[in-house]
Amino acid sequence: MSNTVTLIASGDLRESANRVCWQAQQDMEAALGRAFQQHGWNIQRAHAFDESAGHGFISSQKQGMNVFRDIDPDAPLVVAEAVWQYSHHVLAGLMSHRGPILTVANWSGQWPGLVGMLNLNGSLTKAGVKYSSLWSETFQDDWFNQRLKQWLDTGVVDHDTSHVHALDTGQLSDDVKQLGRNIAQTLRRDKAIMGVFDEGCMGMFNAIIPDHLLNPLGVFKERLSQSALYHEAMQVSDAEAQAVRDWLDRAGMTFHTGPTHETDLTDAQILDQCRTYIAAVRIADDFGCDCIGIQYQQGLKDLLPASDLVEGMLNDSDRPPVNSRDGSRELYAGAPVTHFNEVDECAGLDGLLTQRVHAALGQPVENTLHDLRWSDNDQSGTVEEEVWVLEISGAVPASHFEGGWSAAEGFRQPPMYFPSGGSTIRGISKPGPIVWSRVFVEDNRLKMDLGRATVVELPREETERRWNSTTPQWPIMHAVLHGVSRNQMMARHKANHIQVAYAHSEADADRAMLAKACAAAELGVDVSLCGVECHRSSQ
C-alpha cells in the first residue's frame, strides 16, 4: 500500500437529502483525514464537490461507474458514510475493485451514516466482496486508531465476533424441535406467496433474495407493480377512505395536521394513505399473498403520501377492517397482513416465519423491522447498559406501544425524504422481552442471526434527547441487547434492518427464538445465535 488512500462517498438518490446532509459528511471526512494523517497517510477524494448539485456525494449508479473508471483498481479504498446512502451507486465499482476496501461511518444517529454503512456491508457480503469496517464518534479513540493502523498495515481489520454461535439443535428440547419442524414442513408443503411491489428499494442489493434461494423454502414471489397499487388506491371511494380515518380517530390516534401540503401533514394526505391501505389489502387478497412489501421511495413517492402509516396498520391484528370490493368479505380478518418495509425481502421471510411461530406458541404475532439506528449510554442513569435506538419511518404496529393506537401520534414525514408528505406512526415501544433476528445472504446461502433483547423504559427527557438526535417524527424502541456489545453487533450485522417481535415473558421469548431458529434450520437456512446459547435444561 502507498501512503495515499482513495475516498468515495455514496449518497442519496434524492438531491434534497444530499444537500441537507452534506455538512455532516464534510465534518466526518475532515475528522477522518486527521486520523489518517496521524498514521502518516493522506486521503485523496475520487470525486469533487459539485457546485451545481450543492454536494459532493455520488448520487447515481452511472456516476459511480464513471468515478470508478479513474480509480486505481489496486488502490486502498475508503467508503466514508455520514448519511443514508444508496449502495447500488457504488456497488458496481466495489465488486471489481481489487485493493483493500474499508467502509467507515460516524457514530451518530443524525442522518444516519451507521445505517447506510450497514446496508453497504450487507450488500458487499451478499456480492462476495471482501471488505473491512470501522466506526467512531470522534475518530480519535484508541479502539478506532488501533484498528485503522491494522488496516493500513495489512488491509484487513479483525473484530471480536465470539458472541456468535452456530445453532446446535441437539441442545434443544424435543417439543421445540418438533414445533420448528412442523412449521417448516407446512411451509414447504403448502407454499407461501410473498407479494413484492417492485424490488430494489433505495439501492438495497442485500434486501433482494434470489429466487433460487427462496423457492426451496416453499416461498415464491408474486411480482406486483406499484403502478397497480396506485391505480387501485384511486379506485377507493371517499367514504371507504374516511371510514379508515374514522376508525383511527376512534382508536385514539392523534394526528398533528396543518394547512400547507409542502410542510404540514394534511387531512388529504391521511385520506390518501387510507386509500393505499385498502388497496394494498385488496391486492394482497387478489393474489393470495401471505406477506407483502411496498417499495414506495422510487416512483410512488411522487404520486402518493408515504406508505408508513399504511404499513403500520397492515402489521397489526388490531386494524381498520377492509372488505372485498363487493363488500361480501372482510379480508384477513383479525390478523396482520405482514408487511416488510422498504420491500426488504429478508425481513419479509423473517416476518412470515415469525408470525407463524408466534401464532403456534400463542405469542404476539405483530412484528416489524427497524433500522439499527444508533446506540448510546443512558444519560439519565436509569439503565446501566448501553441502549440501542431502533427506529423505522413509521411502519411499526401500534400494539408495540403501551396503550396501542391511543399512544400513537401522526407527524408529517420529513419533506427532504417524502415530498408528498404522509403521516408516520410515532410512539414509544413498550418495555418487555423481544426476539431480534436478521435473514441475510452470504456465500450464495440464506443465513439467519437471532438474539434476545429487552425493551426498556427511559425517562421522557432521555427519550426526547434520543428522538432529537435521530428522527423525532418516527417511532422509537429502546433496546438492550443480551450478550452482544455495540462493537460486536456492528461487526457481525449484515443489514441496516433488524426484525423484532415481543413475547409475554422472558422464557416465552427464549422459546420463540429457538422455535424460529429450528424452523429456519429445518428449511435449510444457516442459523446462528448471537449473545445467547441454548440449553436443554432451560426449555
Side-chain angles (χ1 to χ4, degrees), residues 402-459:
E402 198 76 71
W405 287 105
S406 64
E409 296 180 273
F411 288 88
R412 192 200 193 278
Q413 287 282 21
M416 74 172 182
Y417 293 131
F418 301 91
S420 299
S423 176
T424 61
I425 303 179
R426 187 178 98 139
I428 304 168
S429 293
K430 60 190 176 185
I434 60 170
V435 178
W436 69 262
S437 50
R438 177 62 193 181
V439 173
F440 61 99
V441 179
E442 184 177 29
D443 299 328
N444 198 34
R445 292 185 59 83
L446 278 174
K447 300 186 177 183
M448 175 186 272
D449 284 353
L450 299 99
R452 287 272 287 102
T454 298
V455 182
V456 297
E457 184 176 3
L458 298 178

Side-chain angles (χ1 to χ4, degrees), residues 292-312:
I292 60 172
I294 302 170
Q295 181 183 143
Y296 183 74
Q297 270 81 356
Q298 275 93 58
L300 208 59
K301 71 177 175 58
D302 301 314
L303 296 171
L304 286 170
S307 58
D308 299 277
L309 173 62
V310 176
E311 297 164 11

Side-chain angles (χ1 to χ4, degrees), residues 10 37 74 78 119 146 185-186 213 225 249 285 297 319 346 383 389 396 402 412 454 534:
S10 181
Q37 287 173 359
D74 296 308
V78 173
N119 179 261
Q146 289 169 5
Q185 289 175 348
T186 299
L213 297 182
S225 170
D249 289 339
D285 177 68
Q297 270 81 356
R319 58 181 177 81
C346 295
V383 176
V389 173
V396 301
E402 198 76 71
R412 192 200 193 278
T454 298
C534 51

Side-chain angles (χ1 to χ4, degrees), residues 233-253:
M234 294 300 97
Q235 309 312 304
V236 175
S237 69
D238 292 345
E240 288 178 306
Q242 187 63 52
V244 172
R245 170 66 192 273
D246 292 343
W247 189 99
L248 293 169
D249 289 339
R250 288 194 304 271
M253 184 170 180

Side-chain angles (χ1 to χ4, degrees), residues 229-278:
L229 181 60
Y230 172 72
H231 173 75
E232 185 67 32
M234 294 300 97
Q235 309 312 304
V236 175
S237 69
D238 292 345
E240 288 178 306
Q242 187 63 52
V244 172
R245 170 66 192 273
D246 292 343
W247 189 99
L248 293 169
D249 289 339
R250 288 194 304 271
M253 184 170 180
T254 301
F255 292 100
H256 300 273
T257 58
T260 306
H261 173 75
E262 288 73 20
T263 56
D264 296 325
L265 174 63
T266 67
D267 289 318
Q269 292 169 12
I270 298 169
L271 283 179
D272 276 344
Q273 290 179 298
C274 294
R275 296 180 207 278
T276 306
Y277 165 68
I278 294 171

Side-chain angles (χ1 to χ4, degrees), residues 74-97:
D74 296 308
L77 183 66
V78 173
V79 188
E81 297 300 338
V83 302
W84 169 254
Q85 57 84 46
Y86 281 43
S87 292
H88 83 298
H89 291 171
V90 295
L91 196 57
L94 292 171
M95 288 175 72
S96 59
H97 192 76

